[in-house]
Amino acid sequence: MELMVLLNALVTRLLFVLHSLIGVWRVTAVKKEPKYWLLALLNLLLCLETGLTLKFKQGRGYKWFSPAIFLYLICTVPSLWLLEIHHGTQYCGNEPGAVQVNVSNQDFNQSRDSSHGSEGIDHHIIQTAKVFVNQLSTICETVWTLALHQTFLLLLVVGRWLLPIGVEITRDQLSQLLLMFVGTAADILEFASETLDIEDVRKNYALINAILAVWTWSMLQFPLDLAVQHIGCKPNASTRRIPSLLLCRYSAELWNIGVSLFIQDGPFFIVRSILMGHFRIFNQMLVFFTAKNILVVTLQLYRLAVITLDFRATILQKSRKGEVSCCPCEPYEASTHATTDQDNEMKEFVTFPPKEESQAPSENQ
């Protein structure tokens, strides 16, 4: 096993565990009940996955799916749910959005005066750490929750970058995936912060749960890599139907459209429409992002129509030439002696005018 692969695999998962434990600590501090430390046991799943990946995959990733990212979601999402539900019950003395973490010089001087030699230095470091943790505990709960949301999404992108890739995904595909994740993370953070910060939403417990459910549903796209990978297929019995051929050729594009319509922009649009239409909640940003969701959904449907028409035109053209191709990377040449079963079945779906038979003039004998 390569040293860098092992190092990246371990460091990334260590960051996941550390961030998850910080979330559990905040839940325990807010709820003031030690039983919430049991949420930290979820990290055992991530530790088990680490061992299995190192043993069977030599630290590298899997095709189309990242178990480490998925288990990181399982470890962190429950803590964020509890913090959002408990949002606003703690008094916040700072200005909105202001974060003040100050360790007074007097505390430092007192710990320095009481310390001498090497043992004194260790004592000074411990005292400084205690003072720093106490200051962190005084930060407003809403600021803590927003910071955990932000670092959660950043770690998803950075962690996917640091995790060793498998042989099935290339560096070019990984770079495309990371760029997509950056835009996706920004939209998800905006959705959660913009809707949950509305005062009328905070008064409705059912609305909070519904918004968090849609937010959790949108997070499930991060463990998947289908948006940049084409499904490898061959002209066999499974690709004799038009839908199968369409999925084979445009798998990445269709997955992208499906994610936007059913996992991200579609559900976001539905939630925002309900807030404005049923609950009569209006503000400038809510209207703007609703319009943005409408535009994205419309463009994705337009893209789906363009792909379908282009595929139909390609099939018509190849059928007239006696050729059928599943994927651009796997061309199929028709035989000059006899057509295959796939060609015959393709022609059942495509109709075109029959050719007029021309009789050759008989030669004089």
Side-chain angles (χ1 to χ4, degrees):
M1 188 185 305
E2 299 178 7
L3 179 60
M4 286 302 300
V5 172
L6 176 62
L7 186 62
N8 288 339
L10 293 178
V11 169
T12 304
R13 288 168 173 84
L14 182 61
L15 290 175
F16 290 166
V17 171
L18 180 61
H19 185 266
S20 175
L21 292 178
I22 292 175
V24 175
W25 167 63
R26 286 309 307 160
V27 173
T28 306
V30 168
K31 295 286 189 178
K32 295 180 174 57
E33 294 184 18
K35 67 179 182 180
Y36 287 101
W37 277 111
L38 294 175
L39 291 173
L41 296 178
L42 293 173
N43 289 282
L44 295 178
L45 297 174
L46 193 56
C47 297
L48 178 62
E49 183 273 337
T50 303
L52 295 177
T53 301
L54 293 177
K55 180 177 180 180
F56 295 105
K57 297 289 290 184
Q58 287 74 46
R60 297 193 175 274
Y62 295 81
K63 185 178 182 180
W64 297 341
F65 182 74
S66 176
I69 298 293
F70 179 71
L71 293 176
Y72 176 46
L73 295 178
I74 293 178
C75 296
T76 310
V77 166
S79 299
L80 292 177
W81 265 73
L82 293 172
L83 289 174
E84 288 292 353
I85 293 175
H86 196 271
H87 185 281
T89 59
Q90 175 179 317
Y91 174 74
C92 185
N94 297 333
E95 294 293 330
V99 183
Q100 297 178 355
V101 183
N102 297 322
V103 181
S104 62
N105 293 329
Q106 183 179 0
D107 295 330
F108 280 147
N109 294 331
Q110 290 177 355
S111 62
R112 185 184 297 112
D113 293 338
S114 61
S115 61
H116 301 282
S118 59
E119 295 182 357
I121 294 176
D122 295 338
H123 179 72
H124 171 64
I125 295 175
I126 294 174
Q127 288 298 113
T128 303
K130 289 182 178 179
V131 173
F132 184 72
V133 170
N134 290 333
Q135 290 292 328
L136 288 179
S137 301
T138 61
I139 297 177
C140 181
E141 177 191 340
T142 57
V143 177
W144 260 113
T145 304
L146 179 59
L148 287 174
H149 269 286
Q150 293 169 339
T151 51
F152 179 42
L153 292 168
L154 287 176
L155 266 181
L156 284 173
V157 179
V158 176
R160 190 64 187 87
W161 190 7
L162 294 178
L163 283 174
I165 61 176
V167 296
E168 295 86 0
I169 183 172
T170 63
R171 298 279 181 186
D172 177 65
Q173 291 173 335
L174 179 62
S175 62
Q176 296 178 38
L177 187 68
L178 293 174
L179 288 173
M180 292 173 54
F181 279 175
V182 170
T184 299
D187 288 342
I188 293 176
L189 178 63
E190 173 275 322
F191 169 77
S193 60
E194 178 258 329
T195 53
L196 291 175
D197 283 346
I198 300 176
E199 184 178 355
D200 293 335
V201 172
R202 283 294 172 189
K203 298 176 182 178
N204 193 321
Y205 185 77
L207 263 183
I208 295 177
N209 287 328
I211 292 172
L212 289 175
V214 173
W215 169 77
T216 305
W217 172 249
S218 67
M219 300 296 293
L220 295 179
Q221 58 187 298
F222 284 98
L224 300 172
D225 301 338
L226 292 174
V228 294
Q229 296 191 51
H230 287 276
I231 298 176
C233 57
K234 296 180 180 179
N236 51 29
S238 63
T239 57
R240 291 180 180 178
R241 298 293 180 180
I242 292 295
S244 299
L245 291 172
L246 180 63
L247 178 62
C248 168
R249 188 169 189 177
Y250 296 101
S251 58
E253 290 84 352
L254 292 176
W255 171 253
N256 235 335
I257 295 172
V259 166
S260 178
L261 294 179
F262 301 107
I263 299 183
Q264 187 169 327
D265 290 286
F268 289 0
F269 166 68
I270 293 175
V271 171
R272 287 170 173 139
S273 299
I274 293 175
L275 291 178
M276 293 191 299
H278 181 73
F279 293 96
R280 303 298 180 184
I281 299 175
F282 294 93
N283 60 53
Q284 184 176 3
M285 297 304 296
L286 184 62
V287 173
F288 170 77
F289 284 109
T290 304
K292 178 215 169 200
N293 291 141
I294 295 174
L295 181 61
V296 172
V297 170
T298 303
L299 291 176
Q300 293 290 4
L301 293 175
Y302 174 71
R303 174 61 179 163
L304 180 61
V306 169
I307 288 176
T308 305
L309 293 175
D310 178 70
F311 176 76
R312 182 176 180 275
T314 303
I315 292 298
L316 285 171
Q317 182 180 5
K318 290 184 178 294
S319 297
R320 290 193 178 99
K321 294 180 179 179
E323 300 177 357
V324 177
S325 177
C326 172
C327 297
C329 56
E330 296 177 353
Y332 169 71
E333 296 180 357
S335 173
T336 58
H337 299 284
T339 58
T340 62
D341 294 338
Q342 185 176 351
D343 295 334
N344 294 331
E345 190 155 359
M346 179 61 62
K347 291 176 181 178
E348 295 177 3
F349 294 92
V350 181
T351 59
F352 51 88
K355 298 180 180 178
E356 296 182 359
E357 298 182 356
S358 58
Q359 298 180 355
S362 61
E363 299 179 357
N364 294 328
Q365 300 179 351

